[in-house]
Amino acid sequence: MSATTPFPAPVPSADRTRVRVEIAIVLALTVGQSALYSVLTLLRRLLDPRPLSEQSAELNVPLDAAVLWDVFYRVLDVAFDLALVALVLFLLWEPAKGVFRRLGIDLSRLGSDTLRGMALVAAIGIPGLALYAAGRAIGVTVSVQASPDALQWWTIPLLVLSALRAGLIEEVIVVGYLGDRLSRLAWGPWRIIVAAALLRGAYHAYQGFGAIVGNVAMGIVFGWCYRRWGRLMPLVVAHTLIDVIAFVGYPLAASLWPDLF
């Protein structure tokens, strides 16, 4: 598999322990922590006498009953999560090598990155909805409420911000950071892609088995595209758009056309 972005060569064996420790720390602070809690949540759901189809998961819940404080808390929540992305970018930074251009998360190809991202939305988003519906139908996926039913004008920018946060955290850390660090440990391209995809499936396990399958498939496609294009920006665009549709688009459509939805 060819790559348009130069992935780092393996480091000497004597230096690999440090790389492994760094990976463990980063994952423990970010998506690895989420994966552990998510798998435990799935286990707890399976031990519940109710079937998965009768259980639900809520996302983007208010953090305070007062509007002003809810906005403050949610903005801070996003900001501190993005600080973890900044930490990872700092770890990837090397003298004389721009980390943003190296990972392909700059604005130098905004047009083509956006078009590729929109193509990924069509390729991933539509089958993802079908998989969610199938999972609900056969009882292996919980009901996911991505945002409150009654959208307020001030919640929409917060939900868009949450979607951007998810896109940056998952694609920068799971695809970009792990791709770099596992390459330094002499992992091959497909081994890296599959490992990252399984991690992506693990931290969505709280939603049930349908979400695991769907996110593993998404991870494989996104990992292959990154290796093919050498840029994270299309993945960030796609992930953000998919979440915006889930967080804002569906509840907004449901409120405007309740008979249809």
Side-chain angles (χ1 to χ4, degrees), residues 56-61 132 142-150 246-247 251:
S56 63
E58 295 183 1
L59 309 179
N60 299 304
V61 296
Y132 173 75
V142 306
S143 173
V144 179
Q145 185 174 357
S147 57
D149 291 329
F247 296 170

Side-chain angles (χ1 to χ4, degrees), residues 151-166:
L151 288 180
Q152 305 295 330
W153 69 266
W154 53 270
T155 61
I156 293 178
L158 291 175
L159 292 171
V160 172
L161 193 60
S162 294
L164 178 61
R165 166 180 58 183

